């Protein structure tokens, strides 16, 4: 496929995405998932990747080496390399929940593989990965010997690739509804079949423990709690009370079950006496707390993605500002705000601007103590800024 004049730069800089507008033409004979060579306007070979002529994100590059063949065997090698790379990461031995394959960062555009104890959850997001699915599964089985592999390709990004949603067992057994996996000495639960993402938010694993260090003897509001994972780590670190707040009733039930299991196995003997669950909208509930003059020592804000596209950045920024302002006002003097954004479109600088604005409007001094990001099993590919999406700040509110 030939690029338009002046469009080689990003390819030469090893950015893996090429949108349709960069090509002279997108050939009608191409099938979704085909391997294509990308050539400069002047005719020089630049890179090789996989194509989806039906998607505006037309080509995802996989190699800049003309001698490398992209086929089943090559993909299986890439899977093995991704798995091997995880084995040397610090702290991963301490957890049974981690990401084994992270798309472009592992040279496998459109493939996500998460491990939960003996099960793997897989997302297949491009036609090429769909085409090679059984070879990919074969490689995963050979290296990881899982009890089961479950597919959760039911996300909206598949629609953009014109792929129908797909879900179900790809190999072995169906995972139990509440699958146990260990993180340090805590027992977590994930519903791989019905939960959000592939069952849990593994990207916050390290950050939860970081934040927990500020929670000893403190009251904690865990806003956008999902299954209460931040709250559980806070309790483990000695929080006096945790309020888990989320709109999702199934997530809160799983949170309750998770607390029960850690209580039963003696890790958190009095968990239930230190926990409250609130099924409510955070935007509403923070105002309600304000009106009731409630205050907390620590507030975690871990909202879902607010900005999916560039055009949504402005609205997303307003929403971030709103909850951060309310949270800052609800904190006791010297309190701690752990605030996150997983919108890739919102840069770390913009996110800090939001917190700055919220602090100003709240009339309180906010000290940034720690800057947080993604754990090493969700590595950021240096030439692909889009692979960096999670940012967080731990702040002291004076
Ligand atoms: N903190 C969680 C992950 C949060 S994901 C963890 O560590 O696992 C975002 C969560 O926000 C989801 O559980 C979703 O159900 C919830 N949510 C989305 N919009 C919400 C709203 N307006 N009010 C409350 N919860 C909301």
């Amino acid at each position: 496929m030939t690029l338009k004049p002046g469009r080689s730069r990003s390819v030469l800089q090893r950015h893996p995405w090429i949108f349709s507008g960069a090509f002279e033409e997108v050939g009608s004979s191409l099938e979704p998932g085909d391997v294509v060579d990308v050539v400069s306007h002047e005719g020089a070979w630049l890179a090789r990747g996989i194509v989806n002529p039906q998607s505006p994100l037309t080509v995802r590059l996989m190699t800049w080496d003309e001698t490398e063949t992209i086929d089943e065997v090559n993909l299986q090698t890439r899977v093995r390399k991704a798995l091997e790379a995880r084995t040397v990461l610090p702290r991963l031995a301490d957890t049974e929940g981690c990401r084994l394959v992270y798309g472009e960062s592992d040279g496998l555009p459109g493939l996500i593989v998460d491990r939960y104890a003996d099960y793997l959850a897989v997302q297949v997001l491009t036609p090429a990965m769909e085409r090679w699915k059984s070879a990919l599964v074969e490689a995963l089985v050979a290296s990881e010997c899982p009890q089961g592999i479950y597919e959760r390709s039911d996300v909206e990004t598949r629609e953009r690739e014109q792929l129908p949603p797909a879900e179900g067992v790809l190999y072995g057994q169906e995972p139990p509804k509440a699958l146990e996996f260990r993180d340090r000495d805590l027992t977590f639960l994930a519903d791989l079949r019905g939960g959000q993402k592939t069952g849990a938010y593994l990207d916050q694993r390290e950050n939860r423990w970081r934040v927990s260090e500020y929670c000893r003897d403190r009251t904690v509001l865990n806003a956008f709690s999902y299954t209460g994972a931040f709250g559980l780590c806070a309790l483990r670190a000695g929080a006096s009370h945790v309020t888990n707040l989320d709109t999702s009733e199934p997530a809160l039930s799983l949170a309750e079950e998770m607390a029960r299991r850690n209580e039963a196995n003696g890790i958190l003997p009095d968990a239930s006496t230190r926990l409250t669950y609130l099924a409510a909208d955070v935007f509403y509930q923070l105002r309600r707390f304000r009106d009731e003059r409630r205050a907390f020592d620590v507030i975690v804000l871990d909202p879902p993605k607010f900005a999916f596209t560039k055009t949504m950045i402005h609205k997303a920024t307003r929403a971030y500002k709103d909850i951060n302002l309310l949270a800052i006002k609800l904190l006791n003097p010297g309190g701690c705000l752990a605030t996150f954004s997983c919108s890739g479109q919102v840069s770390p600088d913009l996110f800090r601007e939001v917190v700055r604005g919220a602090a100003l409007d709240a009339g309180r001094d906010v000290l940034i103590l720690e800057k947080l990001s993604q754990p090493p099993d969700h590595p950021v590919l240096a030439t692909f800024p889009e692979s960096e999406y999670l940012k967080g700040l731990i702040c002291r509110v004076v």
Side-chain angles (χ1 to χ4, degrees):
M1 294 174 72
T2 305
L3 292 170
K4 286 180 182 161
R7 294 301 190 107
S8 304
R9 200 180 138 87
S10 94
V11 177
L12 289 168
Q13 292 186 342
R14 288 183 169 247
H15 192 288
W17 286 357
I18 312 179
F19 288 88
S20 57
F23 292 106
E24 285 291 358
E25 70 171 324
V26 177
S28 54
S29 61
L30 291 169
E31 293 288 330
D34 281 352
V35 173
V36 292
D37 284 337
V38 174
V39 178
S40 74
H41 188 70
E42 295 73 28
W45 188 94
L46 297 175
R48 183 168 292 144
I50 49 179
V51 67
N52 185 356
Q54 288 158 8
S55 168
L57 205 179
T58 308
V59 170
R60 298 180 193 234
L61 297 173
M62 293 181 69
T63 184
W64 285 260
D65 171 1
E66 199 172 356
T67 64
E68 188 176 2
T69 312
I70 304 297
D71 58 10
E72 215 170 271
V73 175
N74 178 274
L75 260 76
Q76 290 182 326
T77 306
R78 286 170 185 245
V79 167
R80 267 197 307 278
K81 281 191 179 153
L83 301 173
E84 265 165 41
R86 299 310 187 272
T87 62
V88 298
L89 292 180
R91 296 183 304 278
L92 271 200
D94 245 4
T95 189
E96 290 179 335
C98 69
R99 179 149 293 184
L100 297 177
V101 176
Y102 177 40
E104 278 81 351
S105 291
D106 284 300
L108 290 158
L111 182 69
I112 302 288
V113 182
D114 288 339
R115 152 185 291 290
Y116 296 93
D118 294 330
Y119 287 85
L120 304 182
V122 170
Q123 283 185 336
V124 177
L125 309 172
T126 51
M129 294 302 135
E130 185 67 43
R131 195 186 274 192
W132 281 310
K133 195 150 81 181
S134 53
L136 295 165
V137 167
E138 198 180 290
L140 288 168
V141 171
S143 299
E144 298 292 303
C145 310
Q147 256 185 49
I149 303 183
Y150 197 79
E151 177 174 17
R152 281 298 301 276
S153 306
D154 52 345
V155 286
E156 155 271 346
T157 45
R158 251 179 91 102
E159 230 168 85
R160 268 185 270 146
E161 297 280 333
Q162 312 237 342
L163 289 166
E167 210 192 314
V169 174
L170 288 180
Y171 167 81
Q173 291 168 27
E174 181 159 287
K177 183 103 183 98
L179 172 62
E180 274 195 12
F181 64 103
R182 189 184 47 82
D183 187 47
R184 302 203 185 172
D185 60 2
L186 288 178
T187 299
F188 283 76
L189 295 174
D191 176 2
L192 270 52
R193 291 181 271 154
Q196 299 179 22
K197 288 243 220 170
T198 61
Y201 291 84
L202 299 173
D203 52 359
Q204 289 284 29
R205 183 184 59 246
E206 306 288 340
N207 295 337
R208 292 185 192 113
W209 291 110
R210 278 313 287 174
V211 173
S212 78
E213 292 177 40
Y214 296 84
C215 297
R216 191 177 175 79
D217 296 326
R218 303 267 182 246
T219 57
V220 179
L221 172 63
N222 183 17
F224 305 99
S225 67
Y226 189 48
T227 57
F230 270 101
L232 212 60
C233 293
L235 288 181
R236 184 72 184 98
S240 56
H241 191 90
V242 171
T243 304
N244 285 322
L245 170 59
D246 201 285
T247 40
S248 163
E249 302 261 7
L252 291 175
S253 318
L254 208 56
E256 253 187 288
E257 179 57 27
M258 229 152 92
R260 247 197 309 276
R261 298 220 188 166
N262 287 283
E263 196 160 23
N265 66 19
I267 297 290
L268 294 172
D270 56 349
S272 54
T273 62
R274 292 188 280 154
L275 269 167
T276 305
Y277 305 89
L278 253 178
D281 181 286
V282 170
F283 292 86
Y284 161 83
Q285 188 62 38
L286 293 180
R287 289 182 164 79
R288 186 150 177 193
F289 283 143
R290 176 195 63 197
D291 299 342
E292 293 169 354
R293 299 187 183 288
R294 278 283 297 274
F296 298 88
D297 300 320
V298 180
I299 299 180
V300 179
L301 289 179
D302 184 24
K305 202 179 197 176
F306 285 156
F308 291 88
T309 58
K310 273 206 174 68
T311 52
M312 292 167 83
I313 294 178
H314 184 65
K315 210 171 152 214
T317 308
R318 286 217 317 256
Y320 285 121
K321 166 94 178 283
D322 185 42
I323 50 175
N324 279 280
L325 172 60
L326 287 160
I328 290 171
K329 287 184 172 171
L330 287 177
L331 281 167
N332 286 320
C336 173
L337 173 70
T339 180
F340 295 91
S341 160
C342 61
S343 306
Q345 302 281 353
V346 174
S347 69
D349 282 348
L350 177 57
F351 189 54
R352 268 176 69 167
E353 266 305 293
V354 167
V355 174
R356 186 183 72 91
L360 263 180
D361 286 7
R364 296 183 74 173
D365 282 332
V366 171
L367 302 169
I368 295 172
L369 308 180
E370 297 196 40
K371 293 176 210 151
L372 306 177
S373 177
Q374 297 157 219
D377 53 327
H378 295 61
V380 176
L381 179 62
T383 54
F384 181 47
E386 287 82 350
S387 57
E388 182 175 12
Y389 64 97
L390 182 62
K391 57 238 149 254
L393 298 169
I394 300 182
C395 308
R396 188 176 136 85
V397 177
V398 187

